[in-house]
Amino acid sequence: MFTPNKKVFEKRREIFLDKLCGKAAIIPGAKLVQHHADCEYPFRQDSNFWYLTGFDEPDAVALFLSHKPKGERFILFVAPKDVLSEVWHGFRWGLDGAEKEFNADKAHSINELKDLLPDYINGADELVFSIGKHPFIEKIILEIFSKQLENRSRLGIGANSIKSPEIYLNEMRLIKSEFEINRMREATQISAEAHELVRECISSKKNERQIQGLLEGYFLEKGARGPAYNSIVASGDNACILHYTLNNAPLNNGDLLLVDAGCSLIDYYNGDITRTIPISGKFSSEQKVIYEIVLNAQKTAIKSAVTDSNSSNVHNVALTILVDGLKEIGLLSGSTEEIIDNQLYKHLYMHKTGHWLGLDVHDVGAYRMGDYEVPLKNGMILTVEPGIYISDRIPVPDGQPDIDEKWKGIGIRIEDDVLINDENPEILSIAALKEISDLEF
Ligand code: GLY
Ligand code: MN
Ligand code: MN
């Protein structure tokens, strides 16, 4: 059974409570989601709830009461111990466990939430709760809140607004602590090793599904929960479908194989890596040209991911190299500036170059606030993942060259996970090789 590092979670709660400054936050955990009939998907805890509690059971709610004295601020509502349920579904910590192992100041049964919540949040200046995500709890909270609003006009006390917890938590989660960086090193290392296994075994595999099995088997063998997201194992033209997850086509010599996969650790830290390799062990001349353009764009963009730059700059560095490369081989024409300003490249490169990575694969945190670009800072983790996807799914924009058949069916993305620091950016996924000489055999 996984027991979290108590100190790490305590520290996060301390910072969060400090930021709340008189407010009461209600943070629900995740519920089980039905797969079919009476079978459920594997449980996945809500990332904010996890970040603050380390408690990994469904049907739990955490309260953070910054208006209360120390020792009365962290309350957990959890599923109570129940012999029969535990025989069917497994161990629960129960109320005692929530207090002793997870350091709740007080724990209650989740069945008491409705009755006890009003007293707990009474006296807070404002409520903090994510509207629109937890219908059952939202109903309770809105009832309490509307009563408080009524009282407010007569007694002058009670919360008068509901704020989103994301205001406080996104900012905290965007900058990874030393502890988190080490967990991300582990997630990305296991993910990179799985990609290496694919590279080493490619010649003996016949179908995309076998590659998926190889990757995901490795994640489990290394103690991860499994894939961080649906693994993308896309051969040939399937690689031009960005989120292809059917993963059941035969592997054909002469095609490329794009694999976008990463593991999720037991404490939910994620890797997200893409590699594109030749199935036969040799790139064709067209595949090689495109691969070189993408690799150059990716390596240069990574170098530009330094403190005080921003994610738009990193995107623009990659985009400029992709566009220049595509111009050189006749797949785009015109001035680079005009192509970029008018998005005339979008039939060949239709996504951004990266996203934050952490407890969520597309992790929380703003990229910009209006016109203000959020600067890159030490401890942020950004993916850098340019690509080129050549098919006739998206019409060629007016004035741009038609695509010769010889290019069609080439889809290449190269993705690494990059830790921003004052020196050079650290490529956490570096163990997954990507030079042409590494991929050919
Ligand atoms: N694997 C999803 C992404 O790269 O964003
Ligand atoms: Mn990604
Ligand atoms: Mn990816």
Side-chain angles (χ1 to χ4, degrees):
M1 198 172 323
F2 175 73
T3 40
N5 180 332
K6 287 186 193 176
K7 286 257 167 300
V8 166
F9 292 92
E10 238 169 60
K11 179 85 194 144
R12 292 173 183 172
R13 287 194 291 270
E14 221 171 84
I15 297 170
F16 183 50
L17 278 160
D18 239 30
K19 285 178 184 281
L20 287 177
C21 193
K23 303 175 191 68
I26 303 102
I27 310 285
K31 299 178 88 59
L32 280 165
V33 178
Q34 186 189 17
H35 184 277
H36 73 280
D38 50 3
C39 295
E40 282 120 5
Y41 284 98
F43 178 66
R44 206 307 183 172
Q45 189 53 283
D46 174 86
S47 296
N48 281 340
F49 182 89
W50 172 265
Y51 183 78
L52 292 167
T53 67
F55 191 74
D56 202 23
E57 292 180 22
D59 300 317
V61 174
L63 306 186
F64 300 91
L65 308 171
S66 72
H67 59 296
K68 300 270 189 193
K70 244 187 154 132
E72 298 176 27
R73 291 180 176 169
F74 172 40
I75 312 297
L76 271 176
F77 287 84
V78 300
K81 296 290 287 176
D82 175 334
V83 173
L84 205 56
S85 283
E86 291 183 57
V87 165
W88 280 92
H89 303 294
F91 174 83
R92 292 173 178 179
W93 285 105
L95 277 55
D96 267 4
E99 289 178 5
K100 292 199 180 96
E101 296 297 326
F102 295 85
N103 287 3
D105 292 326
K106 180 82 191 144
H108 299 283
S109 161
I110 188 71
N111 303 319
E112 293 186 285
L113 182 69
K114 190 169 185 226
D115 292 339
L116 299 183
L117 195 54
D119 270 356
Y120 271 125
I121 63 182
N122 226 350
D125 294 343
E126 291 172 285
L127 303 184
V128 172
F129 177 73
S130 213
I131 298 283
K133 292 187 184 154
H134 315 278
F136 174 70
I137 297 166
E138 184 169 314
K139 192 161 169 281
I140 301 175
I141 287 173
L142 290 181
E143 265 172 36
I144 298 171
F145 180 58
S146 84
K147 279 201 190 109
Q148 289 203 351
L149 282 181
E150 267 172 41
N151 282 342
R152 208 182 149 74
S153 58
R154 282 182 274 124
L155 307 173
I157 50 165
N160 64 0
S161 72
I162 301 183
K163 284 209 155 87
S164 157
E166 281 75 27
I167 303 169
Y168 313 100
L169 290 171
N170 290 8
E171 197 181 303
M172 289 174 69
R173 284 176 51 191
L174 180 54
I175 308 280
K176 274 68 181 174
S177 66
E178 204 48 45
F179 169 85
E180 291 187 289
I181 289 170
N182 283 330
R183 299 305 293 147
M184 288 299 290
R185 285 203 172 102
E186 167 116 6
T188 47
Q189 178 64 26
I190 294 171
S191 306
E193 286 169 8
H195 279 267
E196 280 295 281
L197 194 59
V198 170
R199 186 180 64 75
E200 284 159 12
C201 298
I202 182 76
S203 59
S204 67
K205 300 296 176 198
K206 302 271 173 278
N207 189 286
E208 295 168 348
R209 187 61 54 92
Q210 292 174 312
I211 302 289
Q212 180 181 357
L214 199 61
L215 288 159
E216 296 182 7
Y218 190 79
F219 297 158
L220 296 177
E221 194 181 309
K222 288 289 163 176
R225 275 175 197 263
Y229 49 92
N230 291 332
S231 304
I232 297 167
V233 183
S235 62
D237 176 69
N238 294 334
C240 299
I241 299 166
L242 300 178
H243 287 172
Y244 172 83
T245 52
L246 280 178
N247 302 352
N248 64 359
L251 301 179
N252 296 320
N253 272 338
D255 280 348
L256 297 175
L257 177 70
L258 182 154
V259 177
D260 182 346
C263 73
S264 189
L265 294 185
I266 202 74
D267 52 358
Y268 296 112
Y269 287 98
N270 298 305
D272 180 8
I273 304 176
T274 308
R275 291 291 182 263
T276 309
I277 61 179
I279 290 168
S280 66
K282 285 276 174 290
F283 285 95
S284 72
S285 54
E286 287 80 17
Q287 291 165 349
K288 191 178 271 186
V289 168
I290 303 292
Y291 192 90
E292 277 167 345
I293 296 170
V294 177
L295 185 62
N296 182 23
Q298 203 243 6
K299 291 197 317 198
T300 314
I302 289 175
K303 279 194 201 126
S304 77
V306 293
T307 329
D308 293 332
S309 181
N310 57 62
S311 64
S312 290
N313 283 342
V314 175
H315 174 65
N316 289 331
V317 166
L319 182 57
T320 305
I321 294 173
L322 295 179
V323 168
D324 283 343
L326 289 164
K327 272 169 55 180
E328 242 170 69
I329 57 172
L331 287 174
L332 290 174
S333 72
S335 88
T336 303
E337 202 182 339
E338 194 180 280
I339 292 170
I340 290 177
D341 287 351
N342 297 313
Q343 304 199 339
L344 301 176
Y345 57 84
K346 280 238 162 164
H347 57 306
L348 299 166
Y349 181 45
M350 56 298 277
H351 59 80
K352 283 278 185 195
T353 301
H355 52 83
W356 310 130
L357 181 68
L359 285 177
D360 290 343
V361 172
H362 290 184
D363 209 19
V364 295
Y367 296 89
R368 62 198 62 81
M369 294 164 183
D371 287 339
Y372 174 75
E373 294 282 347
V374 173
L376 298 179
K377 294 283 173 216
N378 276 356
M380 291 179 174
I381 297 179
L382 182 71
T383 68
V384 180
E385 49 178 306
I388 293 177
Y389 313 92
I390 312 178
S391 78
D392 41 23
R393 288 180 182 81
I394 301 179
V396 175
D398 283 348
Q400 288 301 314
D402 286 339
I403 300 171
D404 192 295
E405 289 302 315
K406 69 178 182 181
W407 300 110
K408 288 185 186 166
I410 298 180
I412 293 174
R413 174 165 67 255
I414 307 172
E415 174 175 27
D416 278 301
D417 305 333
V418 174
L419 170 66
I420 310 300
N421 62 40
D422 281 338
E423 314 282 310
N424 291 325
E426 179 182 334
I427 306 173
L428 300 175
S429 44
I430 196 152
L433 304 183
K434 61 185 176 185
E435 296 300 325
I436 287 180
S437 57
D438 299 319
L439 306 183
E440 290 197 321
F441 53 88

